């Protein structure tokens, strides 16, 4: 009998956790969707930080990453900042570091070598930002525009604030279809 009771208790707690999770997702999902637009407000800064994302097997940026880089390039060309930091290490299924692939892309688009600083040692958004902050400090930079996918801007800015980067955000279009967009928003809200 005692064993059945303990299973009932575990079942109750499991259901409770599940209900809390569903409520949390129900609150965070719309917040992520709303903040994807609301946090997209770049202002002129010392540097543009492009957060890493997967690259293709051939070493080129995936379409989603290319949209991030193109947005950073547009901001750079419009005079929002004179320097771009590209971030991201080499994943186990990637031929080169994400930061290096992004740098090559920018150089091919005409950005001078001295204006692109690769940070190729980070495996997460937190590490991207911590390592970019170290580069900023070493170069006397104080303000940044963080470029990432639109659904990710809010969380990236929250992380930047926690580690002491004064930043605004700019989000690239993250998905071209609604099913992919919904999946990305749901995954991002779970990340919170």
């Amino acid at each position: 009998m005692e064993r059945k009771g303990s299973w009932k208790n575990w079942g109750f707690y499991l259901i409770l956790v599940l209900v809390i999770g569903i409520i949390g997702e129900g609150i965070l999902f719309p917040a992520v969707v709303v903040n994807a637009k609301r946090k997209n407000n770049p202002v002129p800064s010392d540097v543009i930080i492009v957060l890493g994302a997967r690259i293709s097997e051939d070493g080129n940026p995936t379409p989603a990453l290319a949209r991030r880089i193109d947005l950073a390039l547009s901001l750079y060309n419009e005079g929002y900042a004179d320097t771009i930091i590209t971030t991201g290490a080499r994943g186990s299924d990637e031929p080169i570091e994400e930061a290096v692939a992004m740098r090559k892309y920018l150089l091919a688009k005409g950005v001078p070598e001295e204006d692109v600083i690769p940070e190729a040692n980070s495996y997460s958004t937190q590490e991207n930002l911590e390592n970019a902050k170290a580069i900023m400090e070493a170069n006397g930079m104080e303000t940044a525009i963080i470029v990432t996918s639109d659904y990710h801007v809010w969380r990236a800015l929250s992380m930047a604030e926690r580690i002491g980067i004064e930043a605004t955000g700019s989000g690239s279009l993250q998905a071209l279809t609604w099913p992919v967009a919904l999946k990305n928003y749901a995954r991002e809200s779970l990340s919170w």
Side-chain angles (χ1 to χ4, degrees):
M1 287 268 192
E2 189 176 320
R3 189 170 197 176
K4 259 187 177 177
S6 73
W7 279 110
K8 284 182 181 177
N9 287 341
W10 279 105
F12 169 78
Y13 290 119
L14 183 62
I15 290 170
L16 181 63
V17 167
L18 186 63
V19 167
I20 290 170
I22 290 169
I23 290 169
E25 180 70 6
I27 293 168
L28 284 170
F29 185 89
V32 168
V33 172
V34 168
N35 279 304
K37 300 284 185 222
R38 195 171 70 86
K39 296 291 184 175
N40 190 357
N41 60 350
V43 299
S45 298
D46 298 325
V47 67
I48 298 165
I49 301 170
V50 188
L51 298 182
R54 255 186 59 67
I55 58 171
S56 301
E57 291 176 3
D58 62 5
N60 291 313
T62 58
L65 181 56
R67 288 191 293 273
R68 287 185 190 185
I69 306 166
D70 287 338
L71 175 56
L73 178 62
S74 179
L75 292 167
Y76 171 85
N77 286 334
E78 291 172 24
Y80 276 83
D82 296 330
T83 306
I84 301 171
I85 298 174
T86 58
T87 65
R90 177 182 177 190
S92 60
D93 59 346
E94 296 174 320
I96 61 174
E97 293 86 354
E98 295 165 2
V100 172
M102 288 191 277
R103 185 173 193 270
K104 286 181 178 181
Y105 185 97
L106 288 164
L107 297 182
K109 299 276 185 172
V111 179
E113 283 187 34
E114 62 272 12
D115 290 352
V116 184
I117 304 170
E119 179 290 299
N121 297 311
S122 55
Y123 292 92
S124 67
T125 301
Q126 183 76 26
E127 288 179 358
N128 289 160
L129 294 170
E130 288 171 351
N131 294 346
K133 182 181 180 194
I135 292 169
M136 288 174 65
E137 289 173 347
N139 289 280
M141 300 171 183
E142 297 179 3
T143 59
I145 300 169
I146 297 173
V147 173
T148 187
S149 297
D150 56 6
Y151 66 90
H152 189 234
V153 171
W154 181 31
R155 189 162 57 97
L157 287 174
S158 295
M159 289 179 174
E161 184 178 2
R162 279 196 306 270
I163 64 171
I165 297 176
E166 183 183 333
T168 57
S170 191
S172 65
L173 181 64
Q174 49 93 9
L176 302 179
T177 65
W178 273 106
V180 174
L182 290 174
K183 179 191 80 163
N184 288 340
Y185 285 129
R187 190 179 71 208
E188 183 67 13
S189 58
L190 285 172
S191 295
W192 275 94

